[in-house]
Amino acid sequence: MKETIQTLFITSLIIMTFSSCEKPNQTDLTINFTHTVDAEELTTNSMIYSNSAGENYDVRTLKYLISDITLYAENGNEIILSDIHFIDISDESTFSFTVEDFPNNNYTSISYKMGLDTIKNTNNLHINESYHSAMAWPETNGGGYHYMKLEGAYNNDSTFYNTHTGGTMGGDYSFNNVDNISLTIDDDLGNVSININMEINNWYNSPNQIDFSSYGMGIMMNMMMQMDIKMNGITDVFSVDITK
Amino acid sequence: MKQLICCLLATILLLSCKKEGCTDDNALNYNPEAEVNNGSCQYYDVTPYNFITPAGFPDMIIPENNPTTLEGIALGEKLFNDPILSSNNTLSCVDCHIKNSSFSDPNQLSIGIDGFLGNRNASTLINLGWNSSFNWDGSAKTLEEQAFEPVTNTLEMHNTWENVENTLNSNSEYLSLFKQSFNINYIDSVHIVKAIAQYERSLVSANSKFDEFYRGEESLTLSELNGYAIYNSEQGDCFHCHGTLLFTDNLFHNNGLDSEEPFSDIGLAEVSNNPLDNGKFKTPTLRNIEYSAPYMHDGRFATLEEVVTHYNEGGHYSSTVDPLMKKLGIGLQLTNQDLADLVNFLKTLSDKEFISEE
């Protein structure tokens, strides 16, 4: 009898040890940044695209900042996933980030801001971040950071466009996107991904048709252009989907 | 009990016959002949060197395995100035990285120990602690890695590390300095490049007229201010590559120097093996640019006037030219006065104190 009790005790100890190794209800949440032109995955350095003004173009550089990425739950909880995330098309490691062991909840929407709002966009504020030198904007022109550098050639391979956006001279052209989602994290889903896609051609098409031959070069100090691009951005540049 | 006391006494007597000294081979004054440790051991004690981050600079990234010390910097400086690193004892680092030239070479190309010319202009060596890659083609990721290269390069010091190690290990002064700096008894190549890298990190230049202006201590002339405005506008558009107070983006660009392809020097592509990187070179800092002539990776331009003229003409087309060279074939269309103002602004980046201090 004594032996039986001992065996039982040891067995239950082993079971407890093993089961405590398993993390119950673990789900890792990955945010991916994807890029398309006319709904096809972006191919860089290839003049295969055309905007609504009928100009052919390629994409050689794409660097941008997304801020305040926040997930909202049905019960009112909010989780900030990233304060500022820098994406550089030449560096795959910037295309995603993962939050491990994401809390259970019914998530109903996600919001994310293109660029930096005035509070986040002051001179040298992000001086020790990897994007500081690539995105800084001269102090004499208002300081802070570019939101986006989208560059390439258009029409032929020796005329260039530089779509640089950002809040110059104190202007704030950042904009918030809110997308409804239906994501219930209540058990071990493994890895769930929320994909934030930038449809590059839509920066130039609607409601404002933007042609490179008129506005291709320097637009940072052109407030009208910054507004036009912002309006296009709000309209249909970003979209969200979920993969489980 | 009596026996025990006898034993103890005997041991003490025996011990007292043995030679005393420091028996710990980790100590600086380790005496291999000593048999009894008499507590005289002196240990490795270095003085940390605390960098003061200049106004507007990021924090310097220092490798965890090579903290900067006063002893390491002094040793690195000695090595930098010593021809002992070259195979025939004739060429030191400083011969091609001359202080008056902001640690670059005023010659277009540098001459190695065998009389051969190198193929690129020797880079300036200032504020390297804020660089994320080294050499014109970015072939080294750390300063330590970079320092390995010139010693064995056949066009430069043409030595072997085995030979360098043998030479330094037979030199009692270096043995003692490496012991003090790194607590090592055998000098190896890893510690040689560590010392040189420490010295190079200490070459911080951030006290130009422009810095004084930035700190509100000095004013710029109207010409310099106009040059600064052009520099920072999309008309001159210098800042996209030479931005921030480091005056470099730490990236690689093809700035339209040549139209004929294939290029005689493919630059970054040699390291990345990506043909899209053909003709891309690392953006150099513009600090002390007045002192670091000639210009470009191949030293093709002798003066700053030639450099601004190159950009003012818009540069030459090639398949990998950077989209930032957006006035290709058109030119910046700056007036002669604008160009002179731009050069005057560039000269405000000269740190006279750094160049002249002993």
PDB file of all heavy atoms in Angstrom, chain A residues 155-177:
ATOM      1  N   ASN A 155       9.317  57.254 -66.658  1.00  0.00           N
ATOM      2  CA  ASN A 155       9.364  57.428 -68.117  1.00  0.00           C
ATOM      3  C   ASN A 155      10.618  56.813 -68.755  1.00  0.00           C
ATOM      4  O   ASN A 155      10.515  55.987 -69.639  1.00  0.00           O
ATOM      5  CB  ASN A 155       9.222  58.885 -68.533  1.00  0.00           C
ATOM      6  CG  ASN A 155       7.790  59.355 -68.348  1.00  0.00           C
ATOM      7  OD1 ASN A 155       6.878  58.528 -68.203  1.00  0.00           O
ATOM      8  ND2 ASN A 155       7.580  60.649 -68.320  1.00  0.00           N
ATOM      9  N   ASN A 156      11.800  57.247 -68.327  1.00  0.00           N
ATOM     10  CA  ASN A 156      13.004  56.548 -68.767  1.00  0.00           C
ATOM     11  C   ASN A 156      13.884  56.400 -67.535  1.00  0.00           C
ATOM     12  O   ASN A 156      13.541  56.912 -66.474  1.00  0.00           O
ATOM     13  CB  ASN A 156      13.699  57.292 -69.900  1.00  0.00           C
ATOM     14  CG  ASN A 156      14.117  58.671 -69.461  1.00  0.00           C
ATOM     15  OD1 ASN A 156      14.942  58.816 -68.565  1.00  0.00           O
ATOM     16  ND2 ASN A 156      13.518  59.707 -70.065  1.00  0.00           N
ATOM     17  N   ASP A 157      14.997  55.721 -67.659  1.00  0.00           N
ATOM     18  CA  ASP A 157      15.737  55.440 -66.424  1.00  0.00           C
ATOM     19  C   ASP A 157      16.725  56.527 -66.030  1.00  0.00           C
ATOM     20  O   ASP A 157      17.611  56.304 -65.226  1.00  0.00           O
ATOM     21  CB  ASP A 157      16.395  54.047 -66.465  1.00  0.00           C
ATOM     22  CG  ASP A 157      17.405  53.931 -67.592  1.00  0.00           C
ATOM     23  OD1 ASP A 157      17.540  54.908 -68.354  1.00  0.00           O
ATOM     24  OD2 ASP A 157      18.046  52.876 -67.692  1.00  0.00           O
ATOM     25  N   SER A 158      16.547  57.730 -66.575  1.00  0.00           N
ATOM     26  CA  SER A 158      17.416  58.816 -66.109  1.00  0.00           C
ATOM     27  C   SER A 158      16.641  60.042 -65.629  1.00  0.00           C
ATOM     28  O   SER A 158      17.215  61.089 -65.377  1.00  0.00           O
ATOM     29  CB  SER A 158      18.415  59.210 -67.201  1.00  0.00           C
ATOM     30  OG  SER A 158      17.730  59.687 -68.338  1.00  0.00           O
ATOM     31  N   THR A 159      15.320  59.911 -65.504  1.00  0.00           N
ATOM     32  CA  THR A 159      14.561  60.980 -64.841  1.00  0.00           C
ATOM     33  C   THR A 159      13.981  60.390 -63.557  1.00  0.00           C
ATOM     34  O   THR A 159      13.430  59.292 -63.568  1.00  0.00           O
ATOM     35  CB  THR A 159      13.421  61.530 -65.721  1.00  0.00           C
ATOM     36  OG1 THR A 159      12.642  60.428 -66.195  1.00  0.00           O
ATOM     37  CG2 THR A 159      13.958  62.315 -66.893  1.00  0.00           C
ATOM     38  N   PHE A 160      14.133  61.123 -62.487  1.00  0.00           N
ATOM     39  CA  PHE A 160      13.822  60.552 -61.172  1.00  0.00           C
ATOM     40  C   PHE A 160      12.699  61.308 -60.471  1.00  0.00           C
ATOM     41  O   PHE A 160      12.531  62.508 -60.639  1.00  0.00           O
ATOM     42  CB  PHE A 160      15.076  60.570 -60.290  1.00  0.00           C
ATOM     43  CG  PHE A 160      16.200  59.756 -60.875  1.00  0.00           C
ATOM     44  CD1 PHE A 160      17.403  60.363 -61.209  1.00  0.00           C
ATOM     45  CD2 PHE A 160      16.050  58.401 -61.098  1.00  0.00           C
ATOM     46  CE1 PHE A 160      18.447  59.616 -61.752  1.00  0.00           C
ATOM     47  CE2 PHE A 160      17.080  57.645 -61.638  1.00  0.00           C
ATOM     48  CZ  PHE A 160      18.284  58.254 -61.967  1.00  0.00           C
ATOM     49  N   TYR A 161      11.969  60.548 -59.668  1.00  0.00           N
ATOM     50  CA  TYR A 161      11.009  61.176 -58.759  1.00  0.00           C
ATOM     51  C   TYR A 161      11.454  60.885 -57.334  1.00  0.00           C
ATOM     52  O   TYR A 161      12.058  59.849 -57.060  1.00  0.00           O
ATOM     53  CB  TYR A 161       9.583  60.647 -58.998  1.00  0.00           C
ATOM     54  CG  TYR A 161       9.392  59.197 -58.588  1.00  0.00           C
ATOM     55  CD1 TYR A 161       8.936  58.878 -57.310  1.00  0.00           C
ATOM     56  CD2 TYR A 161       9.680  58.147 -59.460  1.00  0.00           C
ATOM     57  CE1 TYR A 161       8.785  57.554 -56.914  1.00  0.00           C
ATOM     58  CE2 TYR A 161       9.533  56.828 -59.075  1.00  0.00           C
ATOM     59  CZ  TYR A 161       9.083  56.537 -57.800  1.00  0.00           C
ATOM     60  OH  TYR A 161       8.944  55.235 -57.397  1.00  0.00           O
ATOM     61  N   ASN A 162      11.217  61.829 -56.443  1.00  0.00           N
ATOM     62  CA  ASN A 162      11.497  61.669 -55.006  1.00  0.00           C
ATOM     63  C   ASN A 162      10.211  62.010 -54.263  1.00  0.00           C
ATOM     64  O   ASN A 162       9.907  63.174 -54.059  1.00  0.00           O
ATOM     65  CB  ASN A 162      12.587  62.641 -54.528  1.00  0.00           C
ATOM     66  CG  ASN A 162      14.007  62.289 -54.994  1.00  0.00           C
ATOM     67  OD1 ASN A 162      14.951  62.969 -54.617  1.00  0.00           O
ATOM     68  ND2 ASN A 162      14.167  61.246 -55.811  1.00  0.00           N
ATOM     69  N   THR A 163       9.407  61.014 -53.929  1.00  0.00           N
ATOM     70  CA  THR A 163       8.209  61.306 -53.135  1.00  0.00           C
ATOM     71  C   THR A 163       8.607  61.269 -51.658  1.00  0.00           C
ATOM     72  O   THR A 163       8.602  60.215 -51.029  1.00  0.00           O
ATOM     73  CB  THR A 163       7.087  60.302 -53.429  1.00  0.00           C
ATOM     74  OG1 THR A 163       6.817  60.314 -54.830  1.00  0.00           O
ATOM     75  CG2 THR A 163       5.821  60.666 -52.662  1.00  0.00           C
ATOM     76  N   HIS A 164       9.004  62.421 -51.161  1.00  0.00           N
ATOM     77  CA  HIS A 164       9.396  62.532 -49.754  1.00  0.00           C
ATOM     78  C   HIS A 164       8.270  63.235 -49.008  1.00  0.00           C
ATOM     79  O   HIS A 164       7.882  64.336 -49.378  1.00  0.00           O
ATOM     80  CB  HIS A 164      10.679  63.358 -49.617  1.00  0.00           C
ATOM     81  CG  HIS A 164      11.899  62.647 -50.137  1.00  0.00           C
ATOM     82  ND1 HIS A 164      13.157  63.176 -50.029  1.00  0.00           N
ATOM     83  CD2 HIS A 164      12.053  61.446 -50.747  1.00  0.00           C
ATOM     84  CE1 HIS A 164      14.045  62.329 -50.558  1.00  0.00           C
ATOM     85  NE2 HIS A 164      13.381  61.280 -51.012  1.00  0.00           N
ATOM     86  N   THR A 165       7.748  62.583 -47.987  1.00  0.00           N
ATOM     87  CA  THR A 165       6.685  63.228 -47.217  1.00  0.00           C
ATOM     88  C   THR A 165       7.178  63.493 -45.804  1.00  0.00           C
ATOM     89  O   THR A 165       8.112  62.856 -45.322  1.00  0.00           O
ATOM     90  CB  THR A 165       5.413  62.367 -47.170  1.00  0.00           C
ATOM     91  OG1 THR A 165       5.685  61.176 -46.422  1.00  0.00           O
ATOM     92  CG2 THR A 165       4.941  61.985 -48.561  1.00  0.00           C
ATOM     93  N   GLY A 166       6.526  64.438 -45.165  1.00  0.00           N
ATOM     94  CA  GLY A 166       6.905  64.750 -43.793  1.00  0.00           C
ATOM     95  C   GLY A 166       6.373  66.093 -43.373  1.00  0.00           C
ATOM     96  O   GLY A 166       5.934  66.882 -44.200  1.00  0.00           O
ATOM     97  N   GLY A 167       6.428  66.337 -42.089  1.00  0.00           N
ATOM     98  CA  GLY A 167       5.895  67.576 -41.536  1.00  0.00           C
ATOM     99  C   GLY A 167       6.938  68.663 -41.516  1.00  0.00           C
ATOM    100  O   GLY A 167       7.715  68.775 -40.587  1.00  0.00           O
ATOM    101  N   THR A 168       6.965  69.446 -42.567  1.00  0.00           N
ATOM    102  CA  THR A 168       7.971  70.504 -42.598  1.00  0.00           C
ATOM    103  C   THR A 168       7.423  71.795 -42.019  1.00  0.00           C
ATOM    104  O   THR A 168       6.227  72.050 -42.060  1.00  0.00           O
ATOM    105  CB  THR A 168       8.425  70.772 -44.047  1.00  0.00           C
ATOM    106  OG1 THR A 168       7.315  71.281 -44.774  1.00  0.00           O
ATOM    107  CG2 THR A 168       8.903  69.504 -44.703  1.00  0.00           C
ATOM    108  N   MET A 169       8.310  72.611 -41.494  1.00  0.00           N
ATOM    109  CA  MET A 169       7.982  73.905 -40.912  1.00  0.00           C
ATOM    110  C   MET A 169       6.786  73.797 -39.948  1.00  0.00           C
ATOM    111  O   MET A 169       5.856  74.602 -39.979  1.00  0.00           O
ATOM    112  CB  MET A 169       7.673  74.929 -42.020  1.00  0.00           C
ATOM    113  CG  MET A 169       8.811  75.097 -43.018  1.00  0.00           C
ATOM    114  SD  MET A 169      10.456  75.144 -42.263  1.00  0.00           S
ATOM    115  CE  MET A 169      10.864  76.858 -42.399  1.00  0.00           C
ATOM    116  N   GLY A 170       6.831  72.767 -39.129  1.00  0.00           N
ATOM    117  CA  GLY A 170       5.804  72.625 -38.097  1.00  0.00           C
ATOM    118  C   GLY A 170       4.511  72.001 -38.585  1.00  0.00           C
ATOM    119  O   GLY A 170       3.601  71.741 -37.798  1.00  0.00           O
ATOM    120  N   GLY A 171       4.374  71.749 -39.895  1.00  0.00           N
ATOM    121  CA  GLY A 171       3.151  71.143 -40.405  1.00  0.00           C
ATOM    122  C   GLY A 171       3.051  69.682 -39.994  1.00  0.00           C
ATOM    123  O   GLY A 171       4.064  69.009 -39.852  1.00  0.00           O
ATOM    124  N   ASP A 172       1.832  69.197 -39.795  1.00  0.00           N
ATOM    125  CA  ASP A 172       1.644  67.795 -39.434  1.00  0.00           C
ATOM    126  C   ASP A 172       0.806  67.122 -40.520  1.00  0.00           C
ATOM    127  O   ASP A 172      -0.381  67.410 -40.661  1.00  0.00           O
ATOM    128  CB  ASP A 172       0.946  67.701 -38.062  1.00  0.00           C
ATOM    129  CG  ASP A 172       0.773  66.254 -37.607  1.00  0.00           C
ATOM    130  OD1 ASP A 172       1.050  65.323 -38.395  1.00  0.00           O
ATOM    131  OD2 ASP A 172       0.357  66.051 -36.454  1.00  0.00           O
ATOM    132  N   TYR A 173       1.441  66.289 -41.320  1.00  0.00           N
ATOM    133  CA  TYR A 173       0.734  65.602 -42.404  1.00  0.00           C
ATOM    134  C   TYR A 173       0.600  64.107 -42.120  1.00  0.00           C
ATOM    135  O   TYR A 173       0.329  63.316 -43.015  1.00  0.00           O
ATOM    136  CB  TYR A 173       1.462  65.811 -43.743  1.00  0.00           C
ATOM    137  CG  TYR A 173       1.658  67.273 -44.079  1.00  0.00           C
ATOM    138  CD1 TYR A 173       2.889  67.890 -43.885  1.00  0.00           C
ATOM    139  CD2 TYR A 173       0.598  68.044 -44.564  1.00  0.00           C
ATOM    140  CE1 TYR A 173       3.074  69.229 -44.170  1.00  0.00           C
ATOM    141  CE2 TYR A 173       0.784  69.387 -44.851  1.00  0.00           C
ATOM    142  CZ  TYR A 173       2.019  69.970 -44.655  1.00  0.00           C
ATOM    143  OH  TYR A 173       2.193  71.302 -44.934  1.00  0.00           O
ATOM    144  N   SER A 174       0.835  63.731 -40.864  1.00  0.00           N
ATOM    145  CA  SER A 174       0.648  62.318 -40.522  1.00  0.00           C
ATOM    146  C   SER A 174      -0.854  62.029 -40.525  1.00  0.00           C
ATOM    147  O   SER A 174      -1.671  62.951 -40.416  1.00  0.00           O
ATOM    148  CB  SER A 174       1.234  62.023 -39.140  1.00  0.00           C
ATOM    149  OG  SER A 174       0.515  62.698 -38.131  1.00  0.00           O
ATOM    150  N   PHE A 175      -1.234  60.782 -40.748  1.00  0.00           N
ATOM    151  CA  PHE A 175      -2.665  60.463 -40.675  1.00  0.00           C
ATOM    152  C   PHE A 175      -2.860  59.084 -40.077  1.00  0.00           C
ATOM    153  O   PHE A 175      -2.033  58.181 -40.228  1.00  0.00           O
ATOM    154  CB  PHE A 175      -3.352  60.578 -42.049  1.00  0.00           C
ATOM    155  CG  PHE A 175      -2.739  59.718 -43.128  1.00  0.00           C
ATOM    156  CD1 PHE A 175      -3.183  58.413 -43.340  1.00  0.00           C
ATOM    157  CD2 PHE A 175      -1.731  60.216 -43.953  1.00  0.00           C
ATOM    158  CE1 PHE A 175      -2.633  57.627 -44.343  1.00  0.00           C
ATOM    159  CE2 PHE A 175      -1.173  59.427 -44.954  1.00  0.00           C
ATOM    160  CZ  PHE A 175      -1.625  58.130 -45.154  1.00  0.00           C
ATOM    161  N   ASN A 176      -3.973  58.971 -39.360  1.00  0.00           N
ATOM    162  CA  ASN A 176      -4.275  57.738 -38.641  1.00  0.00           C
ATOM    163  C   ASN A 176      -5.187  56.859 -39.486  1.00  0.00           C
ATOM    164  O   ASN A 176      -6.093  57.348 -40.154  1.00  0.00           O
ATOM    165  CB  ASN A 176      -4.966  58.103 -37.323  1.00  0.00           C
ATOM    166  CG  ASN A 176      -4.811  57.004 -36.299  1.00  0.00           C
ATOM    167  OD1 ASN A 176      -3.732  56.428 -36.167  1.00  0.00           O
ATOM    168  ND2 ASN A 176      -5.880  56.706 -35.603  1.00  0.00           N
ATOM    169  N   ASN A 177      -4.906  55.555 -39.494  1.00  0.00           N
ATOM    170  CA  ASN A 177      -5.778  54.595 -40.177  1.00  0.00           C
ATOM    171  C   ASN A 177      -6.409  53.713 -39.112  1.00  0.00           C
ATOM    172  O   ASN A 177      -5.708  53.258 -38.198  1.00  0.00           O
ATOM    173  CB  ASN A 177      -4.961  53.686 -41.094  1.00  0.00           C
ATOM    174  CG  ASN A 177      -4.199  54.468 -42.142  1.00  0.00           C
ATOM    175  OD1 ASN A 177      -4.729  54.809 -43.185  1.00  0.00           O
ATOM    176  ND2 ASN A 177      -2.947  54.779 -41.838  1.00  0.00           N
TER     177      ASN A 177
END
